[in-house]
Amino acid sequence: MGVLVALLLLPLLGGCTAAAYYWQGIRGQLDLLERARPIPAVLASTEDPALKRKLERVLAIREYASRELALPDNPSYRSYTDLGRRFVLWNVFATPELSLEPREWCFPVAGCVNYRGYFVEAAARAEATQVAATGDDVYVGGVPAYSTLGYFNDPMLSTFIRYPDTEVARLIFHELAHQVAYAKDDTVFNESFAVAVEEEGIGRWLAAQNDPALTAQFNTSQRYREGFRILVAGVRSELAALYASPASVAEKRAGKVAAFASMRTAYDALKKEWGGFSAYDGWFAQGPNNANLAAVGLYTQKVPEFHALLAAENGDLRHFYARVKTLAVLSKGERESALAAAAASRTANRTPDHPVGSQP
């Protein structure tokens, strides 16, 4: 997203600092595109059998995404870029010391988003240090993939090609969903929609594969993901109540410290249940703090509401996308009211045979 903003806005900017930020986005995007090679060409030349197998799987997933999930049928994820680094971007998130409300960075064309992206990790961390000096909580998150919303042909990246096949499928479905609908100034809406599409998509894809090994792989990943989400949701709820309370600043600070200490203890217990699985260690290494929690919340807050919208369309993805596009052009308040109404309607219409939380 930051790259799209950069390409659109650099000619409008006069300040040296702003121009430097957007220029790094242009350089990073151009480098990514210049390195891209059609996947068939990579398959014909690579001597890496593992890479070949993964890229063959990517092509199959990509075809499935458009054929069965009605996601855009274009050159995105049909080329491959080897970046030689762990992440393509690093996003900076920030919140006030005693709030879970993420800061926004606003741009004249693309609107406001709740993060600021950098192609160079050191630059992201320098920005985070600057923001932290104002008293905010900050978090720097590595990004394995992102979408340019269809303005460019997004390539498959080396940053996530080695992920388990189910995770590769999730990311492709997620990023293609961003090309379907985009609401200006509403990161939660955009990301929650993409997560809902990825969740629905992975369920359908796994059913179509009928592969017990893939299903087991997904179930393991889902166990970790759900455990982490539940942990984060509990702490978010606790801190939201604390920050909204009439407690003094000192009491809120003390409660915040206690909540995050308890969270670390709970995470250690989870890791033992998971047999030492440590993928979330990096997230905890930077805090945790309000900004960590806000970053997770941006992706998950409205996911149930989007599943409710899909259920209201009887699982028809094309109709679902059309409805989401309609919501995307409304005001933020109107969107939130419509999503809340969809969720309430689904809850009211449930029967005992369809418990809350089941997939549509």
Side-chain angles (χ1 to χ4, degrees), residues 69 71 170 173-174 177-178 188-204 229 299-311 317 320-321 324 339 346 359-360:
L69 304 180
L71 289 167
R170 291 179 73 106
F173 301 155
H174 181 107
H178 283 309
V188 170
F189 178 92
N190 296 325
E191 295 299 344
S192 294
F193 165 63
V195 170
V197 171
E198 81 172 57
E199 291 182 348
E200 180 67 19
I202 196 68
R204 297 187 186 194
R229 284 181 180 177
Y299 286 79
T300 59
Q301 282 182 38
K302 301 293 183 182
V303 173
E305 286 89 334
F306 280 102
H307 280 308
L309 277 182
L310 179 57
L317 286 167
F320 170 59
Y321 298 157
V324 172
L339 287 172
R346 188 185 188 196
Q359 290 296 311

Side-chain angles (χ1 to χ4, degrees), residues 89-300:
L89 286 172
W90 287 264
N91 281 340
V92 179
F93 300 87
T95 64
E97 178 193 6
L98 298 175
S99 171
L100 297 174
E101 190 65 29
R103 299 291 191 189
E104 288 186 328
W105 283 267
C106 296
F107 310 97
V109 175
C112 299
V113 294
N114 296 116
Y115 48 81
R116 188 173 171 95
Y118 292 85
F119 278 94
V120 177
E121 182 178 9
R125 298 204 178 276
E127 171 71 12
T129 298
Q130 254 190 328
V131 175
T134 68
D136 277 2
D137 283 7
V138 297
Y139 167 63
V140 178
V143 179
Y146 70 93
S147 173
T148 57
L149 310 183
Y151 285 89
F152 300 96
N153 298 324
D154 299 324
M156 181 69 199
L157 300 175
S158 57
T159 49
F160 69 102
I161 189 64
R162 309 283 180 173
Y163 283 14
D165 289 353
T166 53
E167 297 305 301
V168 171
R170 291 179 73 106
L171 279 168
I172 290 175
F173 301 155
H174 181 107
E175 300 307 336
L176 286 172
H178 283 309
Q179 297 184 16
V180 172
Y182 176 75
K184 190 175 180 180
D185 301 342
D186 201 339
T187 301
V188 170
F189 178 92
N190 296 325
E191 295 299 344
S192 294
F193 165 63
V195 170
V197 171
E198 81 172 57
E199 291 182 348
E200 180 67 19
I202 196 68
R204 297 187 186 194
W205 181 75
L206 283 170
Q209 303 311 302
N210 193 27
D211 183 334
L214 279 176
T215 300
Q217 182 185 92
F218 170 77
N219 288 339
T220 298
S221 295
Q222 193 68 2
R223 178 188 171 209
Y224 301 148
R225 184 178 289 106
E226 286 305 308
F228 178 70
R229 284 181 180 177
I230 290 169
L231 177 60
V232 168
V235 179
R236 278 183 59 89
S237 178
E238 177 184 353
L239 288 177
L242 174 67
Y243 297 151
S245 75
S248 68
V249 169
E251 289 169 334
K252 289 179 180 180
R253 285 173 174 162
K256 175 183 176 182
V257 170
F260 284 125
S262 177
M263 187 183 196
R264 282 185 172 279
T265 300
Y267 175 60
D268 289 340
L270 267 181
K271 283 178 63 177
K272 289 180 181 178
E273 290 180 22
W274 294 342
F277 178 76
S278 59
Y280 296 107
D281 282 5
W283 190 88
F284 277 88
Q286 294 188 54
N289 60 34
N290 294 336
N292 294 63
L293 297 183
V296 174
L298 291 172
Y299 286 79
T300 59

Side-chain angles (χ1 to χ4, degrees), residues 39 58 62 75-79 146 154-156 160 175-176:
I39 289 179
V58 165
R62 183 64 186 83
S76 289
Y77 304 103
R78 291 186 166 111
S79 61
Y146 70 93
D154 299 324
M156 181 69 199
F160 69 102
E175 300 307 336
L176 286 172

Side-chain angles (χ1 to χ4, degrees), residues 33-93:
L33 295 176
E34 287 170 359
R35 295 194 200 192
R37 297 175 60 203
I39 289 179
V42 179
L43 289 173
S45 62
T46 185
E47 297 181 357
D48 182 340
L51 177 61
K52 184 174 183 179
R53 189 197 72 78
K54 296 293 285 189
L55 288 174
E56 288 171 342
R57 176 72 89 175
V58 165
L59 287 180
I61 291 169
R62 183 64 186 83
E63 292 302 318
Y64 181 90
S66 293
R67 185 182 68 248
E68 303 295 336
L69 304 180
L71 289 167
D73 189 1
N74 58 34
S76 289
Y77 304 103
R78 291 186 166 111
S79 61
Y80 175 67
T81 294
D82 188 343
L83 289 174
R85 60 181 187 260
R86 185 180 177 191
F87 297 113
V88 60
L89 286 172
W90 287 264
N91 281 340
V92 179
F93 300 87

Side-chain angles (χ1 to χ4, degrees), residues 319-337:
H319 290 172
F320 170 59
Y321 298 157
R323 191 166 176 188
V324 172
K325 288 177 184 177
T326 300
L327 294 180
V329 300
L330 300 178
S331 70
K332 188 172 183 179
E334 290 172 322
R335 279 196 298 274
E336 292 188 348
S337 294

